[in-house]
Amino acid sequence: MCIIDYVQAGGQVRIISGRARGRILKSPRGTATRPTSDRTRESLFNILAARPFGQARILDIFAGTGALGLEAMSRGAVEGVFIDIRTGSLIRENAALCGVSRACTVLSMNHRRALASLQGRTFDYIFADPPYDNDLVNETLAAVFAYRLLAPDGLCVVEHSGREDIEAGGAFTIVREKAYGRETRMTFLVNRREGE
């Protein structure tokens, strides 16, 4: 569950910017999801602040609470597609709390099937936070770029374990990578341009 730009206080996840500012999102019970640390969230938000969300289409893979996509929609994104096999109903509830249900599609299915079903569509931002150390990072990226889901000028952001390296691919270019301690790495990717 990759989450940016929210305040976590007393275990609560709150949208802090845009139309849904102040909304407290419902979170799943237990430890099946792993919220991004405060430091990582703040750093990611600062990086993305230079790229506005207005009119953007968002894809949030392994979405958890849906906080990342919902924050982007609160800031002006016009469409959000959320993929999570476990928390689909929770994401729908949170979308309703943020007043964006009509602009959201939730795919409560395996990420492989969900990504394949989106072939032919493109997204301006793609966020993915697969479970750490499960060999899902490169598999997920391979599907995203094989199905050409990232818009030509889009940005894909992947949070992954510091122990998992992203394999260089012919379809994308890594434009930034940042480590947060030994556990977490954030990688930013764009479509590879001809001649690169």
Side-chain angles (χ1 to χ4, degrees):
M1 177 178 64
C2 183
I3 299 176
I4 63 165
D5 197 22
Y6 71 80
V7 174
Q8 189 172 3
Q12 295 180 330
V13 177
R14 182 177 304 150
I15 302 291
I16 63 167
S17 183
R19 294 184 307 258
R21 182 179 181 179
R23 297 288 197 288
I24 297 172
L25 304 182
K26 296 183 178 183
S27 297
R29 296 174 189 259
T31 59
T33 58
R34 171 191 31 79
T36 302
S37 75
D38 290 346
R39 179 178 166 222
T40 305
R41 256 190 337 270
E42 182 178 359
S43 176
L44 179 57
F45 168 69
N46 288 338
I47 292 166
L48 295 180
R51 293 178 57 109
F53 287 109
Q55 300 302 306
R57 295 171 313 257
I58 307 296
L59 175 60
D60 192 349
I61 310 167
F62 303 101
T65 63
L68 173 62
L70 294 172
E71 182 69 41
M73 295 183 79
S74 178
R75 292 169 166 267
V78 294
E79 179 187 4
V81 176
F82 300 82
I83 298 172
D84 202 301
I85 195 168
R86 293 190 181 112
T87 61
S89 60
L90 181 71
I91 295 167
R92 288 183 188 93
E93 289 180 53
N94 285 336
L97 286 171
C98 292
V100 294
S101 293
R102 291 183 181 177
C104 292
T105 302
V106 179
L107 302 177
S108 300
M109 62 178 77
N110 176 283
H111 67 282
R112 297 174 191 93
R113 283 183 43 223
L115 292 171
S117 76
L118 294 171
Q119 190 168 7
R121 298 182 62 185
T122 60
F123 300 89
D124 302 294
Y125 288 90
I126 298 177
F127 299 98
D129 185 4
Y132 281 12
D133 302 315
N134 281 300
D135 297 322
L136 292 174
V137 174
N138 288 298
E139 173 195 303
T140 302
L141 285 174
V144 163
F145 287 95
Y147 297 135
R148 298 181 180 188
L149 299 178
L150 188 63
D153 293 320
L155 180 68
C156 180
V157 181
V158 184
E159 181 182 338
H160 55 103
S161 164
R163 294 173 294 277
E164 293 179 290
D165 291 324
I166 290 182
E167 298 166 2
F172 61 81
T173 300
I174 296 173
V175 293
R176 184 170 187 159
E177 194 167 42
K178 187 161 183 172
Y180 298 89
R182 286 182 293 181
E183 285 297 311
T184 300
R185 216 181 317 172
M186 200 73 69
T187 303
F188 301 76
L189 308 104
V190 297
N191 288 302
R192 186 179 295 275
R193 311 281 184 203
E194 284 188 33
E196 288 184 343

